Amino acid sequence: MPDPTSRKGPGGLYGWEAVEAVSAGDTTPAELYTDATHRMSEWEPDLGAVVEQVAYQPAAEGPLRGMVVGIKVLQDVAGCRNWTSLQAHGLDGEPASRDATVVTRLRASGATLVCTTAAPFIGAPGGVTPQTRNSRSPDRVSGGSSGGSATALAAGIVHAALGSDSGGSIRIPAACCGVVGLQTTRGVVPLTGAGGLTYSMDNVGPLACTVADARLILEAIAGFDSHDAYSIASTPRDGWDGGSLRIGLPSELIDQKMDQEVRVVFDGVVKKLRTSGHQVEPLSLPMLNEAMELGPRTIGVGESGSIIAEDFNDVLGDIPELAEAVERSKEVSGPTMARAYHRVAVLRSQVRQALADYDVFLTPTLPCKVPDGSEVHLEEDIDVGGMVEPRTSALTRLVNPWNLAAVPCGSQPVGRD
C-alpha cells in the first residue's frame, strides 16, 4: 500500500510535475493512468473513496496533459452513475449520458480522468462522508461532503480532484486529509451537469496537494457557461506580486472556542506572517454571528428541500430521508426566507467594504482536531476547547459563512496534530 504520509500522486509526482514529465517525454498519460489504477486497487474497496473507475481515454494536448484527476460523484461523467442516480436507484441506476461542463473542460485541457469519488447520501451527518475512511489516519473522519475526493488525493490515487462546496464541503475534507481545497466564487465555475444541493451557495472547485496544482485545475474549469443561469464572466486577477499583504482576522470567528492545538498552530502562522512583513490585524464583521442561522438552518434547508422535491419526485415515497428533507423545508416560511436573503445581502456588503481595506481574511479551517471516525454514521457530540457541541457544528462554523458571503475561500495545510 502506498505511504499514507506521502503528498504525491501517480508516478510519485505532484500534478505539475506530471505535466512537466509528460512534456519532457519521461512518461505518458497512459502510464500515469495505469499507475493510478494500481494505487486504487491497493486502497480499494477498504478506503471507500472511489465509486467507479473511469475508462481510459487518450489525453488531449493542453496544460493539464499528464495530470490524473478524480471527479466527485455529484458531477456527471459520461458512462458513470452520478450521485442522483445512485441515491435513487443504487448501482441499478442509469449512467450519465454526457459530461458536466467542468469535466468537458478538464478533458479538453489534457487531464486524464481515472475515477469518480464518493459523497454522502441525504440523511448522513453533516461534514463527513460516512463510507470513506481517512487515508492519512483511518480512525479519523475524512470530512465531507467531498471526502472521497480529498482522501483519494491524500492516498496518492490522483494528482487532483474536483469537489463541490455548499457550506464547507471542499474545505472541511481538505483540512481533515491535509490537502489544499478551494471554494471558488459563486458562478465562476459552471455547475451545468454538476449536481447541487442549494441554489445560491453551491460551487465547484479543486482539491490538490499543492497550490500550484489547484491553480492549474481552476484555470481549466473556470469561465462563462451560457447553460448555467448563475454563471458569470470573470477575468482572473494577476497573481500576488510578493509584496506585503493586508491580512484581516475576523474576530467573530477567531474568538470562538478552539482546541488548544489548533490555536497554537494558528497563532504560529499569524506570527510568521507578521515576521515576514505582512500587516495582520483584527477586524469585525458583525454579520458573521448570524451565518449559521442564515445558512445551514434556513437557506440551506429551504433550497435543498426544493431541489430534492424536483430531482427525486418519483422516488420520494421510497426513500424516507429524502421525504423528510422535503418536509423540513416546508417548515421554513416565506417571510423567514425573505429575511434571511436580506441579512445575507447585509453580510455581503460588510465583506465588500472590508475587502477595500484588506487583501485577505485569515481563520483556521476547523476549530477542532480531526474527529474520531468510529461513530461516523451518527451525529456525535465532541469536545472543542472545553465546550461540548455537535460534530457538524464544529466542522462547519468557521467555513460556512464564506458561502453566504459569495467569496472565494481556500484551505491550506499548516500543521498536524
Side-chain angles (χ1 to χ4, degrees):
M1 181 175 290
D3 179 3
T5 64
S6 171
R7 289 170 55 83
K8 296 200 172 187
L13 303 167
Y14 292 127
W16 65 268
E17 290 177 328
V19 170
E20 290 187 352
V22 168
S23 178
D26 296 331
T27 186
T28 67
E31 290 171 340
L32 293 168
Y33 174 89
T34 299
D35 186 36
T37 61
H38 288 162
R39 290 164 177 253
M40 194 188 311
S41 67
E42 291 180 299
W43 282 103
E44 297 292 356
D46 292 340
L47 188 60
V50 173
V51 178
E52 292 184 81
Q53 183 174 328
V54 177
Y56 177 73
Q57 292 186 13
E61 294 292 338
L64 298 184
R65 183 176 171 84
M67 193 178 291
V68 179
V69 179
I71 307 295
K72 186 177 180 179
V73 73
L74 266 71
Q75 296 130 25
D76 288 352
V77 177
C80 294
R81 296 162 185 84
N82 62 20
W83 182 85
T84 303
S85 178
L86 290 167
Q87 174 88 53
H89 305 291
L91 292 176
D92 294 328
E94 291 292 322
S97 60
R98 59 188 299 175
D99 289 338
T101 298
V102 287
V103 174
T104 298
R105 290 178 177 178
L106 285 175
R107 291 192 197 271
S109 296
T112 300
L113 274 55
V114 71
C115 63
T116 58
T117 60
F121 290 139
I122 295 292
V128 297
T129 306
Q131 69 270 42
T132 303
R133 302 169 72 194
N134 190 319
S135 53
R136 295 203 190 277
S137 185
D139 62 338
R140 302 286 165 170
V141 302
S142 61
S145 63
S146 303
S149 289
T151 206
L153 173 64
I157 295 171
V158 294
H159 294 125
L162 292 187
S164 60
D165 195 313
S166 303
S169 293
I170 288 174
R171 293 156 289 152
I172 293 168
C176 289
C177 296
V179 298
V180 174
L182 178 62
Q183 169 207 309
T184 54
T185 305
R186 183 73 169 96
V188 164
V189 176
L191 298 183
T192 308
L197 300 178
T198 70
Y199 296 114
S200 64
M201 295 183 290
D202 279 5
N203 64 76
V204 171
L207 293 107
C209 283
T210 71
V211 172
D213 288 347
R215 183 185 181 104
L216 285 171
I217 295 288
L218 178 61
E219 289 173 344
I221 62 177
F224 180 73
D225 177 14
S226 61
H227 298 291
D228 178 1
Y230 289 88
S231 185
I232 59 175
S234 64
T235 302
R237 298 181 183 180
D238 292 335
W240 174 47
D241 63 6
S244 175
L245 291 171
R246 301 166 300 170
I247 302 171
L249 307 178
S251 58
E252 288 78 10
L253 301 183
I254 300 299
D255 294 344
Q256 292 184 19
K257 281 283 187 180
M258 295 181 197
D259 279 335
Q260 184 61 23
E261 286 184 67
V262 175
R263 179 73 69 182
V264 168
V265 171
F266 181 73
D267 288 348
V269 171
V270 171
K271 181 179 179 180
K272 184 174 182 180
L273 289 167
R274 284 178 172 148
T275 302
S276 299
H278 301 291
Q279 172 189 325
V280 187
E281 60 187 32
L283 80 152
S284 178
L285 295 167
M287 280 299 303
L288 291 176
N289 290 322
E290 297 185 33
M292 292 299 290
E293 186 62 37
L294 295 173
R297 298 170 192 159
T298 303
I299 295 174
V301 171
E303 291 185 352
S304 64
S306 174
I307 289 172
I308 290 167
E310 181 176 349
D311 291 351
F312 297 97
N313 182 59
D314 59 337
V315 295
L316 282 179
D318 302 322
I319 306 176
E321 293 85 358
L322 295 175
E324 290 168 8
V326 172
E327 290 304 309
R328 283 196 303 272
S329 71
K330 294 177 181 178
E331 297 173 3
V332 182
S333 68
T336 298
M337 286 290 283
R339 180 188 180 278
Y341 285 126
H342 169 68
R343 299 301 287 167
V344 168
V346 176
L347 168 63
R348 293 179 179 180
S349 176
Q350 287 184 359
V351 169
R352 283 195 304 271
Q353 291 177 46
L355 286 173
D357 297 321
Y358 296 94
D359 298 303
V360 65
F361 305 144
L362 184 68
T363 77
T365 305
L366 305 179
C368 57
K369 295 177 288 184
V370 182
D372 172 78
S374 59
E375 300 293 337
V376 71
H377 292 272
L378 304 174
E379 177 59 273
E380 276 198 313
D381 285 341
I382 63 175
D383 183 284
V384 182
M387 178 179 71
V388 175
E389 66 176 306
R391 182 180 59 206
T392 296
S393 171
L395 292 174
T396 59
R397 59 181 163 91
L398 298 184
V399 291
N400 181 271
W402 308 115
N403 295 80
L404 289 175
V407 292
C409 188
S411 181
Q412 164 71 32
V414 293
R416 296 172 64 93
D417 62 29

